[in-house]
Amino acid sequence: MEYQTILNEIQDEVLVLESKGAVADYIPQLGNVDATKFGVYLYGIESEGVSLGNAFEKFSIQSISKVYSLVLAMKVLDKDIWSRVGVEPSGDPFNSLTLLEYENGIPRNPFINSGAIVVADILMSYYQNPKEALLNFVRKISGNDAIDYNEKVAFSEKAHGYRNASLANLIKSFGNIHNDVDAILDFYFYQCSLEMSCQDLAKSFMIFANKGMLLDSDEVLIEPQQAKRINAIMQTCGFYDESGEFSFRVGLPGKSGVGGGIVAVHPGYYSVAVWSPKLNKKGNSYLGIEALERLTTKTGFSIF
Amino acid sequence: MEYQTILNEIQDEVLVLESKGAVADYIPQLGNVDATKFGVYLYGIESEGVSLGNAFEKFSIQSISKVYSLVLAMKVLDKDIWSRVGVEPSGDPFNSLTLLEYENGIPRNPFINSGAIVVADILMSYYQNPKEALLNFVRKISGNDAIDYNEKVAFSEKAHGYRNASLANLIKSFGNIHNDVDAILDFYFYQCSLEMSCQDLAKSFMIFANKGMLLDSDEVLIEPQQAKRINAIMQTCGFYDESGEFSFRVGLPGKSGVGGGIVAVHPGYYSVAVWSPKLNKKGNSYLGIEALERLTTKTGFSIF
Amino acid sequence: MEYQTILNEIQDEVLVLESKGAVADYIPQLGNVDATKFGVYLYGIESEGVSLGNAFEKFSIQSISKVYSLVLAMKVLDKDIWSRVGVEPSGDPFNSLTLLEYENGIPRNPFINSGAIVVADILMSYYQNPKEALLNFVRKISGNDAIDYNEKVAFSEKAHGYRNASLANLIKSFGNIHNDVDAILDFYFYQCSLEMSCQDLAKSFMIFANKGMLLDSDEVLIEPQQAKRINAIMQTCGFYDESGEFSFRVGLPGKSGVGGGIVAVHPGYYSVAVWSPKLNKKGNSYLGIEALERLTTKTGFSIF
Amino acid sequence: MEYQTILNEIQDEVLVLESKGAVADYIPQLGNVDATKFGVYLYGIESEGVSLGNAFEKFSIQSISKVYSLVLAMKVLDKDIWSRVGVEPSGDPFNSLTLLEYENGIPRNPFINSGAIVVADILMSYYQNPKEALLNFVRKISGNDAIDYNEKVAFSEKAHGYRNASLANLIKSFGNIHNDVDAILDFYFYQCSLEMSCQDLAKSFMIFANKGMLLDSDEVLIEPQQAKRINAIMQTCGFYDESGEFSFRVGLPGKSGVGGGIVAVHPGYYSVAVWSPKLNKKGNSYLGIEALERLTTKTGFSIF
């Protein structure tokens, strides 16, 4: 069956579901989004890209950005990362301080907030202008120079970011942040404010489906081994404390954000991005998971 | 490259490594095993089985048995399981009570001890003789009627099993065990005492590589969807609090036991079992992980 | 003002309060008690005993018995106790396993369940018949040979005692219980089933107000230093995770039980027992605390 | 026996002990103190003050200041405090975030860092210049206008205060801090930098021994009920997670600081301050506790 046909079926089935979730509203910029938005973009290795609904509209990617900053950090400093952040699922909500305290300021993995803050610190030690470096990298792998930060979102996150400030100060107290806490948080909130469409996201995640290479040019961006490892971390840690459930229902490595986006990858086959702003209780897009579960059921195969 | 050639290379590389681990010795039956044993058996979907070293010698499979009891429970009672046990990684050592208390007696997943105890309770409510039912099932999927429990091991586990008794009583206090606590523990300790060879393990796990069917006869033992889900749980929860690390280094769903065995599966391709008794600090076979990491590196592909 | 006058005033004020609590009902023998019972007995060092309401009626003393078993253990084995149980408040509900696991099976103090179970183990190692020894001791210090265990209550507790069985097995797994777990639990549940009146309780606690001596005979039962220390533990640990609140409101060392009893002591002055079966959310007698708060306010002095 | 005689005996016994502790050195201003300093000042209600050693030398009072800020807050705003901070011992080290997270930003008591930060916030909402208000209050109750903050210490604490910044931000994220986080921390670090002698400390704590009144003038500074309550909190929470041990060994309400000072009170009789910079593992003065334990043993009475 063609991917487009499958997507159309998914749309028919999913849009009649009652979305039980709620739009994230801890900052007004997220709360004001139209809750009925729904978009899908699927990019196959051996086929054209196919789309559904609001696939070309930009939204706040939030935690999905953690994958980009990790990739960039691995690209420039791979060996130095893994003594400062782990690769184990946290078993706790995405912002818990308990484990971080118990484990002496070494975050469980790079996809919980504390881990992403340490990765931000690593990038800040390496780059003169880490905001610019990250933006250039994201533009390159998604082939879209119009991608940008949303300064209002970044500013608003910062004004409400006491819990992240708590995390960053705790890590600093253990010596696992080397730069100024306020500067790190500023970079971190910028990174989360990136705005991209489903098409942008799916295209950029093709490097994880394509052994680290850009699909268009076969340019090697990261080693195949690195792509494999990022997929492994997305599989076990990509969905906060719902990672097991996502693995169980969907069976693909992926990453979600509180803006309602989810990107997933079937290595060797395709990457796919979904957007629907209402979140379930664990902070992941309610309809997004429904759509992706149908995708692996209808295509008849997942990584398992 | 042929699987046998790859296995030979792995043997050459791994056996010169210093195994930094230690044999489990909390019961004498485990402590007395020859620490230098090393065996591998790989069973390809489209090829003959290949072996290395002590691949045909039986050993105590311990926690690997949790996969068999889960499969049997899913086979007979799938829907009833998932309200009583979760599918999330625990983020804690395999025997922690903290999360269990915090989460009202619902174990995080079926591969930590508390979860396996609940699965044992489910089987005990269904079968008149659950020990016999489980043994018959394991014999069938491994095609080996000589497989059996080791009563001495079961008895010895029971005599040292205070922590498991603590877990079972805690779960019972929350109402998530329906049968008698002592009877459940007796069944649980029997299940862990199963003795199998690498060949037995690899053959029996072929159902997860082969969409739920026996390879020889194509008999459907579980639904393809169920095989996929068990693989997903093995991926995120199969190695206690080293599951992320195993996923990161090896990239296959699998399950380990403190007897030094590990079984892993590449869905659609092969199943493989390794045995080396020395364990790392997280309780997983030290050389076993080394061997499997080389396998996915040398074959050039994992599920990621 | 005379103690009797003060008690009468307290009765007038307290009995018009709406008791917001609920009677403990985890076993039928406790649930069936008349919720309107209310009794007070105060025993002054230099005055007659005075009483109020149902002061001479027996009820289930439950956790108050932990003081008796501790005193008996200190009397025979003082030095050996404090390496096996601490003297710090737990900061957690009375039956939490988390701290116990984190602190390797050494209970925080002898007044949480886990600590009392360790004390029971200490007595069981010392006495051939610890039930008899404890009963004789309680009869002696209260001057009432009619005091006895209630076997129905003990049996019923045991049949619902999964959480205590979980605690005992966990402690045993750390090696901090030396005798058989079932035997310890049997003794522990017997101890909790003791039935005494407010008069019995107040009289027996006089040894803590009177530097370790029986009031009638000046017989030294424990050293003054030991009486001081038990008062100190009651002060910081006597009311589960409401110990600070009791200290704050009442300002006396004391101990409560889920049967609705509270005994408190003003060293050098008096001991007092209150009984009202409805418990607040922390498991302490709602009206009992109200009455004792008025007592220290009206007498104008507490230990602080 | 005269207090002075008792103090002399204590000095003889304590100064020959090997102090197993270590001077706090997380900031240089504390680390540079002479570790052999030893001073005691005891102020009796019905007798002259008596002293020992370096009793008139100023040192950094650190956490002892938490008592002053609490008293001032109770004096101006009593009712408003207790919904924002509890009165229960924490059962955890003085700077733990775990409980704070679990209990939604309501600190367990005003004598752990998180609780003192909330009290600082309360004072900051009430006073235009809280630093000045607190300083004036401390000068008044100790009768010494030369008492002052040490700005170098305050500044140094701030430069190393990441864990306190983590606590403050976490509390703010729960809405239990109303003012600016940096401003609160600035005030908090100033408060901890107060420098006082044993004589100053003992004199100021007389209000807790004297039912809330200044001894010289009988001026009522706080209600008797408030004095009683502060004593109760000192008793259960004054020594971090060694409060039970202090109560058990010494039997007096008191408060310690990492500068090596301890102040304790026997309501109705005396207040006493000790200074010895070496701390035990729980952060309390090693010789200070030894001295106070001897004081209550030699005087033959404590509050128990």
Side-chain angles (χ1 to χ4, degrees):
Chain A
M1 193 156 47
E2 292 286 315
Y3 282 134
Q4 186 68 58
T5 316
I6 291 174
L7 290 202
N8 292 343
E9 283 186 22
I10 290 173
Q11 177 160 252
D12 290 345
E13 290 173 31
V14 164
L15 289 189
V16 299
L17 295 174
E18 179 196 7
S19 177
K20 293 177 186 157
V23 172
D25 58 0
Y26 65 94
I27 59 169
Q29 286 79 1
L30 289 177
N32 291 339
V33 80
D34 177 354
T36 66
K37 294 288 183 181
F38 182 78
V40 181
Y41 199 97
L42 186 151
Y43 217 103
I45 277 197
E46 296 176 353
S47 63
E48 298 283 297
V50 292
S51 70
L52 214 64
N54 312 108
F56 306 98
E57 196 172 317
K58 288 184 178 179
F59 60 92
S60 195
I61 70 163
Q62 295 290 326
S63 287
I64 297 172
S65 67
K66 291 169 181 166
V67 182
Y68 298 132
S69 58
L70 174 64
V71 177
L72 188 57
M74 286 176 75
K75 199 172 149 63
V76 295
L77 284 162
D78 199 350
K79 296 281 170 194
D80 298 342
I81 297 174
W82 307 114
S83 59
R84 296 181 56 191
V85 61
V87 295
E88 295 301 327
S90 71
D92 262 312
F94 57 96
N95 44 19
S96 171
L97 285 98
T98 303
L99 262 179
L100 189 58
E101 185 177 25
Y102 185 68
E103 299 184 340
N104 301 316
I106 309 293
R108 270 288 169 110
N109 67 65
F111 293 160
I112 49 177
N113 289 12
S114 53
I117 287 169
V118 168
V119 171
D121 184 60
I122 290 170
L123 290 175
M124 184 159 272
S125 293
Y126 185 82
Y127 287 108
Q128 281 254 305
N129 188 337
K131 283 183 199 171
E132 191 183 87
L134 182 66
L135 188 58
N136 287 342
F137 179 69
V138 173
R139 285 174 173 174
K140 173 159 193 173
I141 60 175
S142 42
N144 181 355
D145 280 351
I147 290 169
D148 216 334
Y149 301 116
N150 180 326
E151 297 207 350
K152 272 194 189 165
V153 169
F155 186 82
S156 198
E157 294 271 6
K158 203 172 174 178
H160 295 77
Y162 298 114
R163 189 174 269 270
N164 284 311
S166 179
L167 288 169
N169 277 288
L170 181 58
I171 299 168
K172 180 90 178 177
S173 78
F174 284 109
N176 196 21
I177 280 183
H178 303 165
N179 297 283
D180 178 69
V181 166
D182 285 338
I184 295 292
L185 288 171
D186 177 67
F187 174 37
Y188 174 73
F189 290 129
Y190 259 80
Q191 145 191 338
C192 291
S193 81
L194 275 170
E195 292 185 332
M196 297 169 71
S197 68
C198 288
Q199 187 188 34
D200 295 332
L201 288 166
K203 185 156 189 200
S204 68
F205 270 60
M206 274 308 289
I207 61 172
F208 309 120
N210 194 34
K211 295 174 183 255
M213 292 179 290
L214 285 186
L215 191 58
D216 305 335
S217 62
D218 281 359
E219 181 184 341
V220 174
L221 276 177
I222 49 173
E223 296 302 311
Q225 193 70 357
Q226 292 178 315
K228 168 187 161 184
R229 290 188 166 174
I230 290 168
N231 286 333
I233 304 175
M234 287 199 284
Q235 186 74 33
T236 50
C237 315
F239 293 82
Y240 314 124
D241 54 343
E242 197 177 34
S243 297
E245 182 79 12
F246 187 81
S247 192
F248 187 75
R249 287 175 58 188
V250 178
L252 296 177
K255 186 75 201 77
S256 69
V258 293
I262 301 179
V263 205
V265 166
H266 193 159
Y269 299 91
Y270 62 78
S271 67
V272 59
V274 192
W275 176 40
S276 168
K278 286 194 180 178
L279 310 177
N280 65 20
K281 286 180 183 172
K282 300 293 178 76
N284 300 308
S285 172
Y286 185 86
L287 292 185
I289 292 180
E290 292 286 339
L292 292 173
E293 185 176 16
R294 280 165 176 77
L295 178 64
T296 53
T297 303
K298 286 175 190 293
T299 57
F301 71 128
S302 72
I303 62 169
F304 302 124
Chain B
M1 193 156 46
E2 293 285 316
Y3 281 135
Q4 187 67 59
T5 315
I6 291 174
L7 289 203
N8 293 342
E9 282 186 21
I10 291 173
Q11 177 160 253
D12 291 346
E13 290 173 29
V14 165
L15 289 188
V16 298
L17 294 175
E18 181 196 4
S19 176
K20 291 176 188 158
V23 172
D25 58 0
Y26 64 95
I27 59 168
Q29 286 79 359
L30 289 177
N32 291 339
V33 81
D34 177 353
T36 67
K37 294 288 183 183
F38 181 77
V40 182
Y41 199 96
L42 186 150
Y43 219 103
I45 278 196
E46 297 176 352
S47 63
E48 298 282 298
V50 294
S51 72
L52 213 64
N54 311 108
F56 306 99
E57 197 171 317
K58 287 183 177 178
F59 59 92
S60 194
I61 71 163
Q62 295 291 324
S63 287
I64 297 172
S65 67
K66 290 167 181 166
V67 182
Y68 299 132
S69 58
L70 175 64
V71 177
L72 188 56
M74 286 176 74
K75 200 170 148 64
V76 295
L77 284 160
D78 199 351
K79 296 281 171 194
D80 297 343
I81 297 173
W82 307 113
S83 59
R84 295 181 57 191
V85 60
V87 295
E88 293 302 324
S90 70
D92 261 313
F94 57 98
N95 44 20
S96 171
L97 285 99
T98 303
L99 263 180
L100 190 58
E101 184 176 26
Y102 186 67
E103 300 183 341
N104 301 316
I106 308 294
R108 269 289 168 110
N109 66 67
F111 293 161
I112 48 177
N113 289 11
S114 53
I117 288 168
V118 169
V119 171
D121 185 59
I122 290 171
L123 290 176
M124 184 158 273
S125 294
Y126 185 82
Y127 286 108
Q128 281 253 306
N129 188 336
K131 284 183 199 170
E132 192 182 86
L134 182 66
L135 188 58
N136 287 341
F137 179 68
V138 173
R139 285 174 174 174
K140 172 159 192 173
I141 60 175
S142 42
N144 181 355
D145 280 351
I147 290 168
D148 216 335
Y149 300 117
N150 181 325
E151 296 205 351
K152 273 194 189 165
V153 169
F155 186 82
S156 198
E157 295 271 5
K158 202 172 174 178
H160 295 77
Y162 297 113
R163 189 173 269 272
N164 284 312
S166 178
L167 287 170
N169 277 288
L170 181 58
I171 299 167
K172 180 88 177 175
S173 79
F174 284 109
N176 196 20
I177 280 184
H178 303 163
N179 297 283
D180 177 70
V181 167
D182 285 338
I184 294 292
L185 287 171
D186 177 67
F187 174 37
Y188 175 74
F189 290 130
Y190 259 81
Q191 146 191 337
C192 291
S193 81
L194 274 171
E195 292 185 333
M196 297 170 71
S197 68
C198 288
Q199 189 188 33
D200 296 332
L201 288 166
K203 186 156 187 199
S204 68
F205 270 59
M206 273 308 289
I207 61 173
F208 309 120
N210 194 34
K211 293 174 183 256
M213 293 178 289
L214 285 185
L215 192 57
D216 304 336
S217 62
D218 280 359
E219 180 184 343
V220 175
L221 278 176
I222 49 173
E223 297 301 311
Q225 192 71 357
Q226 291 178 315
K228 167 187 161 184
R229 289 188 167 175
I230 290 168
N231 286 333
I233 304 175
M234 287 199 284
Q235 186 75 32
T236 50
C237 314
F239 294 82
Y240 313 125
D241 54 342
E242 197 177 34
S243 297
E245 182 79 12
F246 187 82
S247 192
F248 187 75
R249 286 176 58 189
V250 177
L252 296 178
K255 185 73 201 78
S256 69
V258 292
I262 300 178
V263 206
V265 165
H266 192 159
Y269 299 92
Y270 62 78
S271 67
V272 59
V274 192
W275 176 39
S276 168
K278 287 194 181 177
L279 309 178
N280 66 20
K281 286 178 182 172
K282 301 291 178 75
N284 300 308
S285 172
Y286 185 87
L287 292 185
I289 292 179
E290 292 286 339
L292 292 172
E293 186 176 16
R294 280 166 178 77
L295 177 65
T296 52
T297 303
K298 286 176 191 294
T299 57
F301 70 129
S302 71
I303 61 169
F304 302 124
Chain C
M1 194 157 43
E2 292 285 316
Y3 281 135
Q4 186 69 58
T5 317
I6 291 175
L7 290 202
N8 293 343
E9 282 186 21
I10 290 173
Q11 178 161 251
D12 291 346
E13 290 174 29
V14 165
L15 289 188
V16 298
L17 293 175
E18 179 196 8
S19 176
K20 292 177 187 156
V23 172
D25 58 0
Y26 64 95
I27 59 169
Q29 285 78 1
L30 289 177
N32 291 338
V33 81
D34 178 353
T36 65
K37 295 288 183 182
F38 181 79
V40 182
Y41 199 97
L42 187 150
Y43 217 103
I45 277 195
E46 296 175 354
S47 63
E48 298 283 297
V50 293
S51 71
L52 214 62
N54 312 107
F56 306 97
E57 195 172 319
K58 288 184 179 180
F59 59 92
S60 194
I61 71 163
Q62 296 291 326
S63 287
I64 297 171
S65 66
K66 291 169 180 166
V67 182
Y68 299 132
S69 57
L70 175 64
V71 177
L72 189 56
M74 286 176 74
K75 198 171 150 62
V76 293
L77 283 161
D78 198 352
K79 296 281 171 197
D80 297 342
I81 297 174
W82 307 113
S83 58
R84 294 181 59 191
V85 61
V87 295
E88 293 301 326
S90 71
D92 263 313
F94 57 97
N95 44 20
S96 171
L97 285 100
T98 302
L99 263 179
L100 189 58
E101 184 177 27
Y102 186 69
E103 299 182 342
N104 301 315
I106 309 294
R108 269 289 169 108
N109 67 66
F111 294 161
I112 49 177
N113 290 12
S114 53
I117 287 169
V118 168
V119 171
D121 185 60
I122 290 170
L123 290 176
M124 183 158 274
S125 294
Y126 186 82
Y127 287 108
Q128 280 252 308
N129 189 337
K131 283 183 199 172
E132 193 183 86
L134 183 66
L135 188 58
N136 287 342
F137 179 70
V138 173
R139 284 173 174 174
K140 172 159 193 172
I141 59 176
S142 42
N144 181 354
D145 280 349
I147 290 169
D148 215 336
Y149 300 117
N150 180 325
E151 296 205 352
K152 271 194 191 166
V153 169
F155 186 83
S156 198
E157 294 271 6
K158 203 173 174 177
H160 294 77
Y162 297 114
R163 189 174 271 271
N164 285 312
S166 179
L167 288 169
N169 277 288
L170 182 59
I171 299 167
K172 179 88 176 177
S173 78
F174 284 109
N176 197 20
I177 281 183
H178 302 164
N179 296 283
D180 177 70
V181 167
D182 285 338
I184 295 293
L185 288 171
D186 177 68
F187 174 39
Y188 174 73
F189 290 129
Y190 260 80
Q191 146 190 336
C192 291
S193 81
L194 275 170
E195 291 185 333
M196 297 171 71
S197 68
C198 288
Q199 188 189 34
D200 296 331
L201 288 166
K203 183 154 190 202
S204 68
F205 270 60
M206 273 308 289
I207 60 173
F208 309 121
N210 194 34
K211 295 176 183 253
M213 293 178 290
L214 285 186
L215 191 56
D216 304 336
S217 62
D218 280 358
E219 180 184 341
V220 174
L221 277 177
I222 49 173
E223 297 301 311
Q225 192 72 357
Q226 291 178 315
K228 167 187 161 186
R229 290 189 168 175
I230 289 167
N231 286 334
I233 305 176
M234 287 198 285
Q235 186 74 33
T236 50
C237 315
F239 294 82
Y240 313 125
D241 53 342
E242 197 177 32
S243 297
E245 182 78 14
F246 187 82
S247 192
F248 186 76
R249 288 174 58 188
V250 178
L252 296 177
K255 185 74 199 79
S256 69
V258 292
I262 300 178
V263 204
V265 166
H266 193 159
Y269 299 90
Y270 62 78
S271 68
V272 59
V274 191
W275 176 40
S276 168
K278 286 194 182 178
L279 310 178
N280 65 20
K281 285 179 184 172
K282 300 292 178 77
N284 300 308
S285 173
Y286 186 88
L287 292 185
I289 292 179
E290 292 287 339
L292 292 172
E293 186 176 16
R294 279 165 178 76
L295 178 64
T296 52
T297 303
K298 285 177 191 295
T299 57
F301 70 129
S302 71
I303 61 170
F304 302 123
Chain D
M1 193 157 42
E2 292 286 317
Y3 281 136
Q4 186 67 60
T5 316
I6 290 175
L7 289 202
N8 292 342
E9 281 185 22
I10 291 173
Q11 177 161 251
D12 291 346
E13 290 173 31
V14 164
L15 289 188
V16 298
L17 294 175
E18 179 195 8
S19 175
K20 292 177 186 155
V23 173
D25 58 359
Y26 66 94
I27 60 168
Q29 285 79 0
L30 289 177
N32 292 339
V33 81
D34 178 354
T36 66
K37 294 288 184 183
F38 181 79
V40 182
Y41 199 97
L42 187 151
Y43 218 103
I45 278 196
E46 296 177 354
S47 63
E48 297 284 297
V50 293
S51 71
L52 214 62
N54 312 109
F56 307 97
E57 196 170 317
K58 287 184 179 178
F59 59 93
S60 194
I61 71 163
Q62 296 290 326
S63 287
I64 297 171
S65 66
K66 291 168 180 166
V67 182
Y68 299 131
S69 58
L70 175 64
V71 177
L72 189 56
M74 286 176 73
K75 199 171 150 63
V76 294
L77 284 162
D78 199 350
K79 297 279 171 196
D80 297 342
I81 297 174
W82 307 113
S83 59
R84 294 182 57 190
V85 60
V87 295
E88 294 301 326
S90 71
D92 262 312
F94 57 97
N95 44 19
S96 172
L97 285 99
T98 303
L99 263 179
L100 189 57
E101 185 178 25
Y102 185 68
E103 299 182 341
N104 301 317
I106 309 294
R108 270 287 168 110
N109 66 67
F111 293 161
I112 49 176
N113 290 11
S114 52
I117 288 169
V118 169
V119 171
D121 185 60
I122 290 170
L123 290 175
M124 184 158 275
S125 293
Y126 185 82
Y127 286 108
Q128 280 253 305
N129 188 338
K131 284 182 198 172
E132 192 182 87
L134 182 66
L135 187 58
N136 287 342
F137 180 69
V138 173
R139 285 174 173 173
K140 172 159 194 172
I141 60 176
S142 42
N144 181 354
D145 281 351
I147 290 169
D148 216 334
Y149 301 117
N150 180 324
E151 297 207 350
K152 272 193 189 166
V153 168
F155 186 81
S156 198
E157 295 271 6
K158 202 172 174 179
H160 294 77
Y162 298 113
R163 189 174 270 272
N164 284 312
S166 179
L167 288 169
N169 277 288
L170 182 58
I171 299 167
K172 180 87 177 176
S173 78
F174 284 109
N176 196 21
I177 281 184
H178 303 164
N179 297 283
D180 178 69
V181 167
D182 285 338
I184 295 292
L185 288 171
D186 178 67
F187 175 38
Y188 175 74
F189 290 128
Y190 259 81
Q191 146 191 338
C192 292
S193 81
L194 275 170
E195 292 185 332
M196 297 170 71
S197 69
C198 288
Q199 188 188 33
D200 295 332
L201 288 166
K203 183 153 191 203
S204 68
F205 270 60
M206 274 308 290
I207 60 173
F208 309 120
N210 195 34
K211 296 176 183 251
M213 291 179 290
L214 284 185
L215 191 57
D216 305 335
S217 62
D218 281 359
E219 179 184 344
V220 175
L221 276 176
I222 49 175
E223 297 302 311
Q225 192 72 354
Q226 291 178 315
K228 167 187 162 185
R229 290 188 167 173
I230 289 167
N231 286 334
I233 305 176
M234 287 199 284
Q235 186 75 31
T236 50
C237 316
F239 294 82
Y240 313 125
D241 52 344
E242 198 178 32
S243 298
E245 181 78 14
F246 187 83
S247 192
F248 187 76
R249 287 176 59 189
V250 178
L252 296 178
K255 185 74 201 78
S256 69
V258 292
I262 300 178
V263 204
V265 166
H266 193 161
Y269 299 90
Y270 62 79
S271 67
V272 58
V274 192
W275 176 41
S276 168
K278 286 194 181 179
L279 310 178
N280 65 19
K281 285 178 183 173
K282 300 291 178 76
N284 299 310
S285 173
Y286 185 88
L287 292 185
I289 292 180
E290 292 287 339
L292 292 173
E293 185 175 15
R294 280 165 177 78
L295 177 64
T296 52
T297 303
K298 286 176 192 293
T299 57
F301 71 127
S302 72
I303 60 169
F304 302 124

